[in-house]
Every structure is written in C-alpha cells, then in structure tokens.
Amino acid sequence: MTTPNELRLLPWTGPGDKPCYLSTDDPDGYMSRLADGIEAIQLGTASELLEEASEALGNQDTSLDEMRCLVTELTGALRAVCRVATSRGHLRATSDSSQTAY
C-alpha cells in the first residue's frame, strides 16, 4: 500500500467539502482510472467555460445575470482545475522522488 505522502488527491470532495484521497499500489486500477476520467472532464469543462467567458466579455449584450452565472460556473471550474493541478503536482513529485531513491 502507498505511504501517507503518496496519497492521491481525488478530483471530488467528500462530506463537508473535505478532500478525498486514494491509497493504492495500482495506478491503473478502477479508482485511478475513474479519477483520471473525471479530471479530463473537469479540464474540458474549464476550457469550454473559458471560451464562453471570452465570447461573453466581447458581447455588449451580455446581461449582468448572465455574467454572474458565468462567474459562478468559472469559479467551480477553477476550483476543480486547481485540485487537478495540486493532485498531479503531488503525484509527479512522489514519482520523481521514488525514481531517485535507492
């Protein structure tokens, strides 16, 4: 099993918005693949929202309510992207340190 510093931060939260972690020796296991898939969806959603925001900013007819809704969606997407970046950064650091350990 993995050591505590090798836990994977999952792309979803638990009750009370607490972080969820995965401990596994199998990076290709079901939960790892599920997390990878959800991360891909989250990154795709963020990319789509970024394009939508660029269009909305360039459109003088975009209402204040539409902008508020977009900002709310962007906030959630940015939170997800930050979680993915944190998780991947931690996984990379763990992988780099395990490759250099003798």
Side-chain angles (χ1 to χ4, degrees):
M1 199 54 69
T2 56
T3 63
N5 63 345
E6 294 174 332
L7 296 175
R8 177 181 179 167
L9 177 64
L10 294 172
W12 56 81
T13 57
D17 209 30
K18 302 269 187 204
C20 292
Y21 296 92
L22 175 64
S23 175
T24 181
D25 289 333
D26 185 5
D28 295 320
Y30 174 77
M31 289 301 293
S32 294
R33 290 191 324 263
L34 178 63
D36 291 342
I38 290 174
E39 286 179 352
I41 291 168
Q42 290 172 329
L43 294 173
T45 299
S47 181
E48 291 170 9
L49 283 169
L50 181 58
E51 186 158 329
E52 188 178 325
S54 295
E55 290 172 11
L57 288 171
N59 182 354
Q60 296 290 356
D61 296 329
T62 303
S63 73
L64 185 56
D65 285 340
E66 290 171 320
M67 289 301 269
R68 281 189 180 122
C69 181
L70 184 56
V71 167
T72 300
E73 291 177 20
L74 283 167
T75 301
L78 183 56
R79 187 174 292 113
V81 167
C82 286
R83 181 178 296 280
V84 170
T86 299
S87 177
R88 290 185 180 183
H90 184 264
L91 287 174
R92 184 174 178 166
T94 302
S95 173
D96 289 348
S97 68
S98 68
Q99 290 176 2
T100 58
Y102 294 94

